Amino acid sequence: MAKVLKGIKLRLYPNQHQADLLWQMFGNSRFVWNQMLAMAKERYHNNPSSHFVNEYGMNYLLKPLKLEFPFLKQSDSTSFLVVNHNLAQAFKMLFKHQGGYPHFKSRRAIRQSYTGRSTCRVIAKRRIKLPKLGSIRTSKTSRIAGLKIKRYTVSYDPTGRYYLSLQVETPAPQILPKTGKTVGLDVGIADLAISSDGTKYKTFNAKWLEKQATQWQSKCSRRRHRAEVAVRQWNHNHKTIKEELTDYQNWQQARMQKARYQQKIANRRKDYLHKLTTKLVKQYDVIVIEDLKTKNLQHNHHLAKVIANASWYEFRTMLEYKCAWYGKRLITIKPNYTSQICSDCGYHSGPKPLAIREWTCPQCGAHHDRDINAAVNILHKGLKAVG
């Protein structure tokens, strides 16, 4: 039976001892990353013509590193192999000119994590056994019962919560029944997707949550500024006892409250996109969409926020893997001139301002909704491309 890889995320509820050990593991993974990166930089500085130390070479250095720093033995040993793999991949992307130079990781980062490949298993309905941590309380584990866990990631996010992300191997989902329908989708701002049959799917909207997140962002910024001033004044006047920014809980609480509202928005957006993409995959056999470069479009500062809120990239990603899972077909085409061509006669009317939402073809007299016309052209181009 065919297998597919899926990601499952669970909430973790560590006790105080386990939480302390988790932070030690976060620090150890960060320490190994920084040590290997510093070694690579120093090696290049001393001899620019030397060969880069590959992943195998970095793994060979782990044993003497553990002898020099015994606290590294408190971590799952496979987590360091993952760190070396990620660093080697980062350098490969750099050499291919597809990424920047890797950066050192900071202990002050609000998001911490480590990834391991060791065996972890479910031992109860709300208990899972992790390497070095032992039995730890989680949310419901019924979704992963009997599945093979390939790797795991423990993370701490800005909301102050711990999560366990699992990569599991599951049987491939059942192929959905064929409907014989095809559709072209034009993505937009006011409407997330407009189909060639005239259906418009609204963009996700959470105005109240966004307002709350903005207010708490302002509170967090003001409280942090006051805390920074207080820390500077105290440290200037007291030479023996020094304060740190983390000693001021007022801005820490505002930061956490802001992060929780932002996470609520992200979770609801993802839920909306999952429901919409599943509906489309069930309804149509062939889906044609535009191959938009979202990162380039976000250079327009007037539209960057609404484009990010629409989550075009995530929408496309979900369609891609769901079509692959359920036996449907996704076709991507170049978006050139799709909103300028009459879908009835093929007349090219030229570019139009975004304010024009409807227009009439001067050649055949057909009246078009701009977005629906573009979706029909997208469908035609996609079907023509695949014959």
PDB file of all heavy atoms in Angstrom, residues 78-91:
ATOM      1  N   THR A  78      20.426  12.444  18.242  1.00  0.00           N
ATOM      2  CA  THR A  78      20.021  12.613  16.846  1.00  0.00           C
ATOM      3  C   THR A  78      19.652  14.062  16.527  1.00  0.00           C
ATOM      4  O   THR A  78      19.622  14.451  15.360  1.00  0.00           O
ATOM      5  CB  THR A  78      18.822  11.707  16.513  1.00  0.00           C
ATOM      6  OG1 THR A  78      17.712  12.067  17.347  1.00  0.00           O
ATOM      7  CG2 THR A  78      19.168  10.251  16.729  1.00  0.00           C
ATOM      8  N   SER A  79      19.364  14.867  17.564  1.00  0.00           N
ATOM      9  CA  SER A  79      19.027  16.266  17.298  1.00  0.00           C
ATOM     10  C   SER A  79      20.229  17.016  16.734  1.00  0.00           C
ATOM     11  O   SER A  79      20.066  17.930  15.925  1.00  0.00           O
ATOM     12  CB  SER A  79      18.536  16.945  18.577  1.00  0.00           C
ATOM     13  OG  SER A  79      19.561  17.021  19.551  1.00  0.00           O
ATOM     14  N   PHE A  80      21.460  16.615  17.121  1.00  0.00           N
ATOM     15  CA  PHE A  80      22.657  17.263  16.584  1.00  0.00           C
ATOM     16  C   PHE A  80      22.890  16.857  15.128  1.00  0.00           C
ATOM     17  O   PHE A  80      23.418  17.642  14.339  1.00  0.00           O
ATOM     18  CB  PHE A  80      23.868  16.909  17.433  1.00  0.00           C
ATOM     19  CG  PHE A  80      23.741  17.326  18.873  1.00  0.00           C
ATOM     20  CD1 PHE A  80      24.310  16.574  19.890  1.00  0.00           C
ATOM     21  CD2 PHE A  80      23.038  18.468  19.210  1.00  0.00           C
ATOM     22  CE1 PHE A  80      24.193  16.963  21.219  1.00  0.00           C
ATOM     23  CE2 PHE A  80      22.910  18.865  20.535  1.00  0.00           C
ATOM     24  CZ  PHE A  80      23.482  18.109  21.536  1.00  0.00           C
ATOM     25  N   LEU A  81      22.508  15.631  14.777  1.00  0.00           N
ATOM     26  CA  LEU A  81      22.609  15.218  13.375  1.00  0.00           C
ATOM     27  C   LEU A  81      21.682  16.059  12.498  1.00  0.00           C
ATOM     28  O   LEU A  81      22.040  16.423  11.376  1.00  0.00           O
ATOM     29  CB  LEU A  81      22.258  13.731  13.240  1.00  0.00           C
ATOM     30  CG  LEU A  81      23.110  12.749  14.045  1.00  0.00           C
ATOM     31  CD1 LEU A  81      22.618  11.328  13.823  1.00  0.00           C
ATOM     32  CD2 LEU A  81      24.582  12.874  13.655  1.00  0.00           C
ATOM     33  N   VAL A  82      20.493  16.371  13.020  1.00  0.00           N
ATOM     34  CA  VAL A  82      19.557  17.219  12.284  1.00  0.00           C
ATOM     35  C   VAL A  82      20.110  18.632  12.145  1.00  0.00           C
ATOM     36  O   VAL A  82      19.987  19.265  11.095  1.00  0.00           O
ATOM     37  CB  VAL A  82      18.178  17.223  12.983  1.00  0.00           C
ATOM     38  CG1 VAL A  82      17.226  18.185  12.282  1.00  0.00           C
ATOM     39  CG2 VAL A  82      17.572  15.826  13.000  1.00  0.00           C
ATOM     40  N   VAL A  83      20.739  19.141  13.216  1.00  0.00           N
ATOM     41  CA  VAL A  83      21.343  20.473  13.161  1.00  0.00           C
ATOM     42  C   VAL A  83      22.410  20.528  12.067  1.00  0.00           C
ATOM     43  O   VAL A  83      22.443  21.460  11.249  1.00  0.00           O
ATOM     44  CB  VAL A  83      21.953  20.845  14.531  1.00  0.00           C
ATOM     45  CG1 VAL A  83      22.823  22.096  14.411  1.00  0.00           C
ATOM     46  CG2 VAL A  83      20.857  21.079  15.548  1.00  0.00           C
ATOM     47  N   ASN A  84      23.288  19.521  12.026  1.00  0.00           N
ATOM     48  CA  ASN A  84      24.338  19.488  11.010  1.00  0.00           C
ATOM     49  C   ASN A  84      23.760  19.382   9.604  1.00  0.00           C
ATOM     50  O   ASN A  84      24.257  20.008   8.662  1.00  0.00           O
ATOM     51  CB  ASN A  84      25.296  18.328  11.278  1.00  0.00           C
ATOM     52  CG  ASN A  84      26.154  18.558  12.505  1.00  0.00           C
ATOM     53  OD1 ASN A  84      26.275  19.678  12.987  1.00  0.00           O
ATOM     54  ND2 ASN A  84      26.722  17.488  13.032  1.00  0.00           N
ATOM     55  N   HIS A  85      22.714  18.584   9.466  1.00  0.00           N
ATOM     56  CA  HIS A  85      22.062  18.445   8.154  1.00  0.00           C
ATOM     57  C   HIS A  85      21.485  19.782   7.694  1.00  0.00           C
ATOM     58  O   HIS A  85      21.662  20.180   6.538  1.00  0.00           O
ATOM     59  CB  HIS A  85      20.961  17.385   8.239  1.00  0.00           C
ATOM     60  CG  HIS A  85      20.140  17.277   6.994  1.00  0.00           C
ATOM     61  ND1 HIS A  85      20.591  16.645   5.851  1.00  0.00           N
ATOM     62  CD2 HIS A  85      18.885  17.750   6.697  1.00  0.00           C
ATOM     63  CE1 HIS A  85      19.663  16.724   4.918  1.00  0.00           C
ATOM     64  NE2 HIS A  85      18.625  17.385   5.398  1.00  0.00           N
ATOM     65  N   ASN A  86      20.806  20.477   8.598  1.00  0.00           N
ATOM     66  CA  ASN A  86      20.209  21.765   8.237  1.00  0.00           C
ATOM     67  C   ASN A  86      21.273  22.796   7.877  1.00  0.00           C
ATOM     68  O   ASN A  86      21.097  23.586   6.935  1.00  0.00           O
ATOM     69  CB  ASN A  86      19.343  22.283   9.386  1.00  0.00           C
ATOM     70  CG  ASN A  86      18.106  21.432   9.614  1.00  0.00           C
ATOM     71  OD1 ASN A  86      17.687  20.688   8.733  1.00  0.00           O
ATOM     72  ND2 ASN A  86      17.521  21.545  10.790  1.00  0.00           N
ATOM     73  N   LEU A  87      22.380  22.803   8.625  1.00  0.00           N
ATOM     74  CA  LEU A  87      23.455  23.748   8.332  1.00  0.00           C
ATOM     75  C   LEU A  87      24.112  23.428   6.986  1.00  0.00           C
ATOM     76  O   LEU A  87      24.411  24.346   6.202  1.00  0.00           O
ATOM     77  CB  LEU A  87      24.494  23.727   9.455  1.00  0.00           C
ATOM     78  CG  LEU A  87      25.645  24.732   9.331  1.00  0.00           C
ATOM     79  CD1 LEU A  87      25.110  26.160   9.253  1.00  0.00           C
ATOM     80  CD2 LEU A  87      26.604  24.582  10.501  1.00  0.00           C
ATOM     81  N   ALA A  88      24.312  22.135   6.707  1.00  0.00           N
ATOM     82  CA  ALA A  88      24.893  21.747   5.417  1.00  0.00           C
ATOM     83  C   ALA A  88      23.968  22.144   4.269  1.00  0.00           C
ATOM     84  O   ALA A  88      24.423  22.610   3.216  1.00  0.00           O
ATOM     85  CB  ALA A  88      25.170  20.243   5.403  1.00  0.00           C
ATOM     86  N   GLN A  89      22.653  21.971   4.470  1.00  0.00           N
ATOM     87  CA  GLN A  89      21.694  22.373   3.435  1.00  0.00           C
ATOM     88  C   GLN A  89      21.710  23.883   3.230  1.00  0.00           C
ATOM     89  O   GLN A  89      21.583  24.372   2.101  1.00  0.00           O
ATOM     90  CB  GLN A  89      20.282  21.915   3.821  1.00  0.00           C
ATOM     91  CG  GLN A  89      20.068  20.414   3.772  1.00  0.00           C
ATOM     92  CD  GLN A  89      20.247  19.858   2.366  1.00  0.00           C
ATOM     93  OE1 GLN A  89      19.775  20.416   1.390  1.00  0.00           O
ATOM     94  NE2 GLN A  89      20.959  18.742   2.268  1.00  0.00           N
ATOM     95  N   ALA A  90      21.868  24.640   4.321  1.00  0.00           N
ATOM     96  CA  ALA A  90      21.926  26.096   4.206  1.00  0.00           C
ATOM     97  C   ALA A  90      23.133  26.525   3.377  1.00  0.00           C
ATOM     98  O   ALA A  90      23.030  27.440   2.545  1.00  0.00           O
ATOM     99  CB  ALA A  90      21.979  26.728   5.603  1.00  0.00           C
ATOM    100  N   PHE A  91      24.268  25.875   3.573  1.00  0.00           N
ATOM    101  CA  PHE A  91      25.451  26.216   2.785  1.00  0.00           C
ATOM    102  C   PHE A  91      25.289  25.794   1.326  1.00  0.00           C
ATOM    103  O   PHE A  91      25.759  26.475   0.416  1.00  0.00           O
ATOM    104  CB  PHE A  91      26.698  25.580   3.397  1.00  0.00           C
ATOM    105  CG  PHE A  91      27.325  26.401   4.487  1.00  0.00           C
ATOM    106  CD1 PHE A  91      27.250  26.012   5.812  1.00  0.00           C
ATOM    107  CD2 PHE A  91      27.982  27.584   4.177  1.00  0.00           C
ATOM    108  CE1 PHE A  91      27.832  26.777   6.814  1.00  0.00           C
ATOM    109  CE2 PHE A  91      28.561  28.359   5.178  1.00  0.00           C
ATOM    110  CZ  PHE A  91      28.485  27.955   6.493  1.00  0.00           C
TER     111      PHE A  91
END
